[in-house]
Amino acid sequence: MEKKDLGPKPALIGHRGAPMLAPEHTLMSFRKALEQKLYGLQADITISLDGVPFLMHDATLRRTTNVEEEFPELARRPASMLNWTTLQRLNAGQWFLKTDPFWTASSLSPSDHKEAQNQSICSLAELLELAKGNATLLLNLRDPPREHPYRSSFLNVTLEAVLRSGFPQHQVMWLPNRQRPLVRKVAPGFQQTSGSKETVTSLRKGHIQWLNLRYTQVSGQELRDYASWNLSVNLYTVNAPWLFSLLWCARVPSVTSDNSHTLSQVPSPLWIMAPDEYCLMWVTTDLISFTLIVGIFVFQNYHLIRWRLGGIRSYNPEQIMLSAAVRRASRDVSIMKEKLIFSEISDGVEVSDELSVCSDNSYDTYGNSSTTPVGPRGGGSRTKTLTDRSGR
C-alpha cells in the first residue's frame, strides 16, 4: 500500500479523559487530555439523588473513591443514590495512586502526584465548562436505579444541563438511544450516535451520523459499507500503536483510547506493506526455516547416518536375512545362524564369543536331527558295525 493511498489519521477521543495520566472522570484527567489537542472526550453520566448530573462509570463508588473509608455503610449503595453534597466529600484520586491501574503512577511528576491525590468527583457542568470550544464530547448516560426519584426524567435533566451551559451543539455526540425524536427536536445540532449495528434503513430513520462500536465488532467490508452510507465510525478501546496503525490503514475516522498521549505522537502507521509483499515475506521465511531444520537434523545425525549406510554395505545375505527374521520360527533362525558362522569362517572373519555360544547350542540341535554323514573309504560301514555291536 502506498502512503498516498492512506486516509487521514484517525481522530482521538480520550476515554474518560486521560486515564493513564490522571484518575478517570476527574477534571485533571480531562485537562490532561485537552493538553494533547484531542478531537474529543468520552464521559459516562449518571445523576445524584438530588438531581445533579455527575460523571461516574461504575454502579458503585468503591473502585474510584474512598467511600469505604469515609462512609463504610454507603460503600455498596449505588452511586446515584447519594446526595451531591455527600459525593463532593469523597476523594476520587487516591485510588489511582494506590492501585496504579495502568502502571503509570510512578512516572507522574511531584506536582501531578499531588494534584491527583486531591481530585474529587466531577460534575457534568464542570466538564462542559472545561471543554467548551475545545473538544467534542461523546456522552453516554447510565440510568439510575428504578427507585431513583429522577429515573424517568434523567435524560431531560441531562439534556437541559447541556443546553443551559451554552456548549456548541455540533460538538456533542449523543449516544443514548431513548427518546431520539425528542432530542432531535430540542437539540437539532447534536451528532446522533448509535452504540449498536443496525440496518441502513433504521440508521437513516434515526438520523444517525456516527456508530460507536468495539473494534472487534466490525470488519473491513462493513467499514466500507458505512462509508458509502455517509456514516462515520468510532471504535473503542484502542490503546496499542500497532492496532491504531491497522485501523488507520483501514480508514477508520476516529477511535476512543486510554493511551491517547502515546497514539497522538504516532506520525504514520508503524509498518505499511502490500499484500503481495506480505505473502512473499512469509513464503520466504517458511522456506528458510524448513532448510535450516533439515540442515540441523542432518548435521546432528551425520555420524549415525554414515554408520548405517556403511553397515549395510558390509552385510552379507545371511546377515540381512537374520536381521529380518524376527518373527520366523526358531529352527529357521538356527539354520541361518549356522550359515552365517560357516560364511564368516570361510572368509577368515573371527566370530565373537557370544555368537559362538549361541551357534554351538544351535549346532548341536541341528546335528542331532541331521542324517549321519558317510565317512571316506568305507568309514560308513565301520560306523554301522560299531553301532550294531554297542546296541547288543
Side-chain angles (χ1 to χ4, degrees):
M1 182 182 296
E2 299 294 335
K3 188 170 182 179
K4 63 181 180 180
D5 294 331
L6 288 174
K9 181 177 180 179
L12 288 169
I13 297 178
H15 189 225
R16 309 172 199 169
M20 287 190 178
L21 304 179
E24 66 180 57
H25 276 148
T26 60
L27 280 178
M28 179 183 178
S29 180
F30 293 118
R31 197 160 42 240
K32 287 289 184 181
L34 291 176
E35 290 175 0
Q36 301 160 28
K37 308 297 183 182
L38 301 186
Y39 169 74
L41 305 172
Q42 184 271 337
D44 300 297
I45 307 170
T46 188
I47 193 167
S48 66
L49 192 63
D50 51 352
V52 178
F54 67 97
L55 310 183
M56 183 64 57
H57 175 268
D58 297 3
T60 68
L61 301 163
R62 298 175 62 193
R63 181 177 67 91
T64 57
T65 70
N66 63 340
V67 66
E68 291 184 329
E69 300 173 6
E70 292 292 328
F71 307 106
E73 69 282 1
L74 304 177
R76 297 186 179 277
R77 293 191 64 183
S80 57
M81 296 303 290
L82 277 69
N83 290 323
W84 179 240
T85 54
T86 303
L87 293 170
Q88 285 183 304
R89 294 173 57 184
L90 298 176
N91 186 293
Q94 292 176 354
W95 71 273
F96 176 80
L97 301 176
K98 290 179 181 179
T99 62
D100 197 6
F102 295 100
W103 302 284
T104 54
S106 59
S107 63
L108 297 181
S109 64
S111 59
D112 286 344
H113 190 280
K114 184 177 180 180
E115 184 180 1
Q117 196 170 14
N118 295 308
Q119 290 300 297
S120 58
I121 295 176
C122 181
S123 68
L124 175 60
E126 292 174 316
L127 172 62
L128 292 170
E129 185 63 28
L130 177 68
K132 185 184 299 182
N134 296 321
T136 295
L137 293 182
L138 174 57
L139 301 181
N140 182 36
L141 271 58
R142 295 193 170 274
D143 293 333
R146 294 182 181 277
E147 62 273 16
H148 197 282
Y150 289 90
R151 167 76 179 191
S152 59
S153 59
F154 171 41
L155 186 143
N156 294 332
V157 172
T158 304
L159 186 59
E160 182 181 351
V162 175
L163 297 177
R164 187 173 57 246
S165 69
F167 194 89
Q169 291 189 18
H170 69 276
Q171 289 185 298
V172 175
M173 296 172 63
W174 187 260
L175 191 56
N177 195 38
R178 294 182 291 107
Q179 302 183 36
R180 283 199 186 273
L182 172 64
V183 175
R184 290 200 311 270
K185 181 179 179 180
V186 176
F190 283 5
Q191 301 182 59
Q192 297 298 324
T193 308
S194 175
S196 60
K197 292 195 288 187
E198 305 174 29
T199 63
V200 62
T201 304
S202 177
L203 294 172
R204 287 175 177 173
K205 183 178 179 180
H207 298 272
I208 302 299
Q209 299 169 264
W210 282 84
L211 286 176
N212 185 56
L213 304 172
R214 186 178 296 276
Y215 69 88
T216 56
Q217 290 181 302
V218 293
S219 63
Q221 182 59 48
E222 288 176 324
L223 289 173
R224 290 187 288 271
D225 291 341
Y226 293 143
S228 66
W229 301 338
N230 294 323
L231 282 173
S232 299
V233 179
N234 178 70
L235 300 181
Y236 65 90
T237 305
V238 179
N239 293 331
W242 69 266
L243 180 58
F244 180 70
S245 300
L246 181 64
L247 298 178
W248 187 344
C249 294
R251 298 175 178 269
V252 173
S254 70
V255 299
T256 300
S257 176
D258 297 317
N259 195 21
S260 56
H261 62 288
T262 298
L263 301 186
S264 61
Q265 303 301 318
V266 178
S268 60
L270 296 183
W271 195 0
I272 306 171
M273 181 178 292
D276 293 340
E277 296 177 0
Y278 181 82
C279 181
L280 178 62
M281 180 188 72
W282 278 110
V283 170
T284 304
T285 303
D286 290 341
L287 292 176
I288 294 174
S289 300
F290 177 77
T291 304
L292 287 176
I293 292 173
V294 172
I296 293 173
F297 176 81
V298 173
F299 177 76
Q300 290 182 339
N301 298 275
Y302 172 74
H303 297 290
L304 180 61
I305 296 173
R306 182 179 180 183
W307 176 79
R308 287 184 176 179
L309 293 177
I312 291 175
R313 298 191 194 99
S314 63
Y315 284 174
N316 55 39
E318 287 77 10
Q319 286 176 311
I320 296 175
M321 293 178 65
L322 182 60
S323 300
V326 178
R327 298 184 179 179
R328 290 193 179 185
S330 59
R331 178 180 176 82
D332 294 338
V333 175
S334 299
I335 294 173
M336 282 189 288
K337 286 183 178 180
E338 290 292 338
K339 291 182 179 181
L340 179 61
I341 291 171
F342 285 122
S343 174
E344 290 179 347
I345 291 174
S346 62
D347 294 338
V349 179
E350 183 179 359
V351 184
S352 63
D353 294 340
E354 182 180 355
L355 183 58
S356 299
V357 173
C358 296
S359 301
D360 290 340
N361 295 335
S362 302
Y363 182 76
D364 292 339
T365 304
Y366 177 74
N368 291 334
S369 61
S370 306
T371 306
T372 304
V374 179
R377 295 182 181 181
S381 60
R382 184 178 179 180
T383 303
K384 182 177 181 182
T385 304
L386 292 175
T387 303
D388 293 341
R389 290 178 181 180
S390 63
R392 296 174 183 174

